[in-house]
Amino acid sequence: MLGIETSCDETAAAVVRGRAPGPGVMLSNVVASQIAAHKPYGGVVPEIAARAHVEILEEVVERALADAGVTIADLDGIAATAGPGLIGGVAVGLTAAKALALASGKPLIALNHLEAHALTARLTHGVPFPFLLLLVSGGHCQLLICEGVGRFTRMGTTIDDAAGEAFDKTAKLLGLGFPGGPAIEEAAKTGNAKRYRFPRPLADADGFDFSFSGLKTAVRRIADSVDYDDQIVSDIAASFQAAVTEVLAGRSRKAMRAVREMDLNINHLVVAGGVAANETLNRLLCAAAADEGFEFVVPPMKLCTDNGAMVAWAGLERLQLGLTDTLAAVARARWPLDRRSEGVARAKA
Ligand code: KG4
Ligand code: ZN
């Protein structure tokens, strides 16, 4: 399966082979990052991203095929992210996949980007359904029960910023550059996480929702009130990272207890999305899972951030179930993963 990913600022393509539930074999995984193009603006500029995808996608796909030692004729199908994401970029990748599918007569799979993140742990570790998923990226922060391909139940979500967004905005505030997550993690290494006690929003609330905008405001208040030096920036970064990761791990722990009580036969906690690359988060989640008797699974860092292999794998799982798409598939800026919120999004549209 060829997988194409263009929903944000990575132009990516990969070829993956395998069978559900995995693990699969990654024959190639090419990621061309646009970070340099967006850096001067401190964030991803949608129009620049879309143009960059157009310029480089063909080369990235060719390289993915060459690295894998296959041609289009060897493929069983062509998968691409069809949303959610920056619509210009999504359209570029999806249109390219349609063209390849049309020209080759191979099946097209138009994928939900979040499903691709969610199923990555099956590509890497063959995690069986059902499993509990903490999906933490630049655009999303959700706790989901993954029952099967296309079958997700959302337990909680962010009521304001996504976790990665909070990292990115805080990094910008501290002058740490873009993307924010890795910059904060790096600065935090030399910081004192106990120096500032930032709020743990919704920590005692019912349910499994997240909130990060108050935390960001608290960081701004401190940042505005002190004379900066490198140590203070590191201390703020470390204290902020401690707050975010404790909230994420705390909610995940609560979710593990809840699904255990529901007797759903869930034994795995999986973390996915760009923020899953964060080592402090991983340490806390690993400890929480061990306490609760869950197996903790985190894909390698290069498969946590956006990539084509996760798209190829999710496409492969869908194809094996006969779930293919027609050339009428549309690019979608918004596309919730779970059935309940999908109904809400349709009603609003
Ligand atoms: O999944 P992803 O590559 O793109 C989206 O679909 O959003 O996630 C990107 C997000 C960015 O917000 C980035 O700052 C965050 O993941 N991120 C991290 C780390 N590496 C990337 N956040 C915290 N710690 C990291 N090490
Ligand atoms: Zn992503």
Side-chain angles (χ1 to χ4, degrees), residues 5 7-8 113-114 117 137-138 273-274 304-306 310:
E5 161 58 41
S7 67
C8 193
H113 179 82
L114 305 177
H117 274 303
S137 70
C304 283
T305 49
D306 289 348
M310 67 178 190

Side-chain angles (χ1 to χ4, degrees), residues 74-90:
D74 299 320
L75 300 170
D76 288 335
I78 292 148
T81 293
L86 300 173
I87 193 71
V90 175

Side-chain angles (χ1 to χ4, degrees), residues 92-116:
V92 171
L94 181 60
T95 307
K98 284 180 183 178
L100 288 172
L102 182 63
S104 64
K106 308 273 177 186
L108 169 75
I109 298 97
L111 270 164
N112 185 310
H113 179 82
L114 305 177
E115 178 165 89

